[in-house]
Amino acid sequence: MEMGNPRLRHSRALISVLLCVALSLSGCGGDSGSTVATNDSTPLNSNTTPQPTQPAQPAAINWTTLGTRATAAQPGTSITSNAGAKWVDYNPPALYAGIARQATQYIMMPDGTKLAAYVTLPADASGKPASGTFPTVLVQTSYNGGNAQYTASIGAALGGADPYIVQHGYATVVVDVRGTGQSQGTWDAFGADEQSDYGHVVDWVTQQPWSNGAIGLYGVSYLGITTVITAAQNHPAVKAAFPIVPIGDGYRDIVFTGGQTNLTFIPAWFGLVSVLSLTDPTLLSDSTIGLPAVLQHLVSAVTTFQLPTMLQALLGTTATAYDGPFWATRSPLENDGKIKVPTFVVGGLHDLFQRSEPLTYEAIKTQAPAKLLIGPWTHLQAAMGNGLPVDGVPPLNHIQLQWFDQYVKGMNVGADALPNVTQYVTGYGHYATATDWPHPQVQAQQLFLRGDKSLSTTAPAANETASQVAQQPLNGACSMSLSQWTAGLTGFLPLPCQTDDTLAEAADVKFETPPMPADVYLNGPIEADVWISTTALDAGVSVRIDDVDAAGNVTPLTDGLQTASLRAVDASRSRMMNGLSIQPWHPFTPGSVQALTPGHAVLVPVEVFPTSALIAKGHKLRVAVGASNLPQGVPPLPTLLNSLIGVLTVYSDADHPSKVVLPVVPATAL
């Protein structure tokens, strides 16, 4: 009867369009020996060109993990088992012919807030719910999960039940987190109240007559973040987790990368969560429920969370623009090491949360069975598992079913025997498997930025030429960063500047190796230690890493961004690898600010997000250094004013040996 109402049909059509857009903007790892000795590669042995060589004999890799706010870096652990693992496509026949959606239900939280829940059960071909009890897939979303059920193919990514999973014998429960969708309350994006709700929702699921008490956690983006946070609570009913593109560190991954505000993604995300919370169909079907919730959401957006938080970020308010309790609460990596259930992590080489997806796996791998799959994806592409199946890697929901059948249903279906780590390798053009991340054969190897614009294993001499870059905030306006930080939305536009860094680096100073005499395989995080001075009171330092082919095409691999005044590094939390720092940990606190004196050279360590790439024989490796990366971040207003109308000098001499530290794996590992 409800579906016959023309106003409701029109409302759902509008909501469907909004949800399609929402998916594209949703998003909201001292030197110490590893515990397992494995083969490593010898240092780059050419004065000018990286060359992979094979070790004469096995040697221990010395590296540490990356610390968190609460924990220091720890000795690394390399997993070398399961080396012969191969992908298989697990796609058993459906157990049920149909699905049955129950009417919207409400779960009462201890403070009286009601959360909307949408239940889908296995059914026969006529839609009659099957009898008996079922394991449950739990999804917790901020994108109006009730409406997501009517958005066809993208519904499962937004929060709608995936019929494929339901027909294989799982109930699915989708819950709107407080203050979003059709739930009551005030939204505060992974705040303490919301996280407390997760456990109460799990309790509610176990008490339902169709539940057998076993739960698998699943979700994409925001839904993946709720998945890992819930998993870390270690509720006994939760048996496994399958997060796709989850955040790890709210501050460092995206909102304030390098201390700079992301104005490309965050405002759009805030706006879309707000819109989807205001397009509540209960406004029409039951205004006594819908109207109070919508008014609550509107007040929250304008006066409590979304708008105030954005303004505080732009104005550089201490509690928001610097790291602290607000961001610690919203950073799952602080607790991922507590996860005890089998967890399969999916990420993307150009995802919003590119930095932390391998760190999430790394935090879990010694505590519980864990797997990692990283594709050549932006956020939107990863949500859909773009291009799968390929290279033996199956569609994501087939992998999810195998994972849950093994660990939620308790069946022996080979999920434990899947490759531990699978990554797409740019430049190689295929997925490659490994037993662990970091790769067990990785070695940190440094290349110096030279005055003649070359990259060399030989440190620079005295008085080598410095380079100047104008300080303006618009670099990279059209680049791979634009596609990445719009969650992949602009990637649908045929803009060559999004796949070739030539335009993005037009104003940067560029350092290159000669053509490689052999393939070089990079896999892991990168650190750029750049000596700079400025004529202004502050500066940004942008670093891009590229693959340049013989024709001069410049393929973007990864990049990093850092505000110079926030350059302080906590060495106890940074990742070391065979004596070199390869992943700096910046505190980003008010107390860590180090003022710049115009014209005085300082060292700025830049965290460059992890990549997986093959620099083929005959290609060049490029490091481009600039003053900004607009799509990735803009300094808060006070810092921006201190940085404008300045000139950035990049030094490359004996007293100021700028360098890049690379994670090199023998190409034979492919």
Side-chain angles (χ1 to χ4, degrees):
M1 181 179 298
E2 176 184 308
M3 293 301 294
N5 186 320
R7 290 191 298 168
L8 280 176
R9 287 200 304 270
H10 176 74
S11 172
R12 285 214 165 96
L14 173 62
I15 288 164
S16 238
V17 173
L18 290 169
L19 285 170
C20 289
V21 179
L23 175 60
S24 66
L25 291 165
S26 64
C28 36
D31 177 16
S32 177
S34 70
T35 61
V36 177
T38 61
N39 291 342
D40 66 345
S41 58
T42 58
L44 301 173
N45 63 359
S46 166
N47 284 344
T48 57
T49 307
Q51 298 181 52
T53 57
Q54 296 303 307
Q57 59 185 13
I61 293 178
N62 296 320
W63 57 274
T64 68
T65 63
L66 187 72
T68 67
R69 297 167 183 82
T71 60
Q74 302 295 319
T77 299
S78 281
I79 297 173
T80 56
S81 59
N82 205 26
K86 303 292 184 183
W87 278 99
V88 295
D89 187 3
Y90 179 76
N91 186 25
L95 301 176
Y96 299 90
I99 65 174
R101 294 190 176 99
Q102 295 187 347
T104 302
Q105 302 172 56
Y106 290 90
I107 308 172
M108 182 76 75
M109 295 296 103
D111 65 356
T113 301
K114 295 180 180 179
L115 306 185
Y118 318 98
V119 177
T120 305
L121 301 175
D124 62 20
S126 69
K128 180 181 178 181
S131 59
T133 59
F134 308 96
T136 302
V137 173
L138 174 60
V139 179
Q140 297 172 97
T141 181
S142 63
Y143 302 121
N144 207 325
N147 290 321
Q149 304 208 47
Y150 299 97
T151 58
S153 61
I154 69 165
L158 287 167
D162 183 352
Y164 177 83
I165 298 297
V166 178
Q167 290 174 305
H168 280 86
Y170 291 85
T172 295
V173 175
V174 179
V175 177
D176 292 332
V177 301
R178 65 169 56 216
T180 72
Q182 299 173 45
S183 290
Q184 297 176 349
T186 298
W187 184 54
D188 65 350
F190 314 111
D193 288 341
E194 180 182 319
Q195 292 189 33
S196 177
D197 291 343
Y198 302 160
H200 298 300
V201 168
V202 171
D203 284 336
W204 180 86
V205 169
T206 63
Q207 295 163 8
Q208 302 311 298
W210 39 259
S211 169
N212 73 359
I215 294 173
L217 304 170
Y218 169 81
V220 175
S221 190
Y222 196 108
L223 297 61
I225 302 167
T226 63
T227 290
V228 293
I229 295 174
T230 305
Q233 295 175 357
N234 289 312
H235 192 291
V238 172
K239 306 301 181 184
F242 200 95
I244 300 176
V245 289
I247 204 170
D249 189 312
Y251 188 97
R252 291 165 179 77
D253 286 5
I254 181 169
V255 186
F256 279 99
T257 300
Q260 304 204 14
T261 314
N262 187 299
L263 296 181
T264 308
F265 173 76
I266 298 301
W269 172 55
F270 274 175
L272 278 163
V273 171
S274 300
V275 168
L276 293 171
S277 294
L278 299 177
T279 53
D280 185 344
T282 57
L283 272 174
L284 302 177
S285 61
D286 189 345
S287 60
T288 60
I289 294 176
L291 184 58
V294 166
L295 290 175
Q296 213 170 12
H297 299 167
L298 181 61
V299 171
S300 169
V302 175
T303 67
T304 306
F305 186 68
Q306 290 97 304
L307 183 59
T309 302
M310 201 67 244
L311 289 175
Q312 290 164 15
L314 290 171
L315 295 174
T317 304
T318 298
T320 304
Y322 294 96
D323 197 8
F326 179 88
W327 295 111
T329 298
R330 291 162 175 80
S331 296
L333 276 172
E334 298 298 310
N335 294 296
D336 281 350
K338 300 176 182 177
I339 293 176
K340 304 298 183 185
V341 299
T343 303
F344 195 113
V345 181
V346 178
L349 288 176
H350 301 288
D351 181 50
L352 296 170
F353 313 130
Q354 166 194 355
R355 173 185 182 270
S356 281
E357 286 147 357
L359 296 178
T360 301
Y361 160 83
E362 186 182 20
I364 300 169
K365 71 180 186 181
T366 58
Q367 310 298 322
K371 307 288 184 183
L372 176 67
L373 169 63
I374 296 181
W377 300 318
T378 61
H379 200 62
L380 177 58
Q381 292 170 333
M384 308 304 292
N386 191 59
L388 299 180
V390 69
D391 292 337
V393 183
L396 290 183
N397 60 353
H398 291 195
I399 304 171
Q400 177 197 349
L401 178 65
Q402 185 175 12
W403 196 251
F404 285 168
D405 275 0
Q406 177 97 18
Y407 294 112
V408 179
K409 285 188 176 180
M411 301 166 61
N412 184 10
V413 295
D416 55 328
L418 294 175
N420 296 346
V421 173
T422 304
Q423 296 170 282
Y424 184 85
V425 182
T426 303
Y428 179 57
H430 297 282
Y431 286 84
T433 61
T435 59
D436 203 6
W437 190 98
H439 196 288
Q441 293 177 269
V442 69
Q443 280 282 90
Q445 300 183 17
Q446 61 187 2
L447 292 175
F448 292 94
L449 282 55
R450 302 295 298 271
D452 62 358
K453 307 301 188 298
S454 68
L455 290 172
S456 171
T457 56
T458 302
N463 302 318
E464 290 197 21
T465 305
S467 302
Q468 282 74 42
V469 176
Q471 291 181 218
Q472 47 81 18
L474 303 178
N475 288 353
C478 187
S479 63
M480 183 65 224
S481 295
L482 179 64
S483 179
Q484 178 167 3
W485 300 107
T486 58
L489 191 61
T490 63
F492 292 105
L493 302 175
L495 299 174
C497 52
Q498 293 186 116
T499 55
D500 187 305
D501 262 352
T502 301
L503 178 62
E505 297 168 356
D508 295 352
V509 53
K510 295 170 278 290
F511 303 85
E512 291 182 351
T513 66
M516 295 290 183
D519 294 345
V520 173
Y521 179 24
L522 306 178
N523 191 324
I526 296 170
E527 179 169 337
D529 294 327
V530 185
W531 281 92
I532 63 103
S533 68
T534 176
T535 60
L537 297 176
D538 208 342
V541 179
S542 167
V543 176
R544 294 179 182 275
I545 309 294
D546 306 301
D547 176 354
V548 184
D549 69 15
N553 299 304
V554 185
T555 300
L557 301 179
T558 185
D559 50 56
L561 185 65
Q562 181 64 39
T563 298
S565 61
L566 291 169
R567 64 190 180 277
V569 169
D570 183 340
S572 73
R573 287 172 167 76
S574 299
R575 187 191 298 273
M576 301 294 293
M577 188 174 287
N578 52 278
L580 298 172
S581 177
I582 196 167
Q583 195 170 22
W585 202 92
H586 298 278
F588 294 116
T589 59
S592 71
V593 173
Q594 296 177 335
L596 280 78
T597 301
H600 178 71
V602 297
L603 174 63
V604 180
V606 181
E607 180 183 3
V608 180
F609 290 175
T611 191
S612 174
L614 185 74
I615 312 299
K617 179 180 178 180
H619 288 209
K620 302 175 184 179
L621 175 70
R622 173 185 287 183
V623 175
V625 180
S628 62
N629 185 355
L630 177 63
Q632 187 170 23
V634 176
L637 187 58
T639 307
L640 180 62
L641 293 175
N642 283 337
S643 305
L644 288 176
I645 319 177
V647 175
L648 183 74
T649 297
V650 179
Y651 295 92
S652 310
D653 59 56
D655 292 331
H656 312 100
S658 296
K659 66 181 180 181
V660 62
V661 182
L662 303 167
V664 179
V665 176
T668 53
L670 292 172

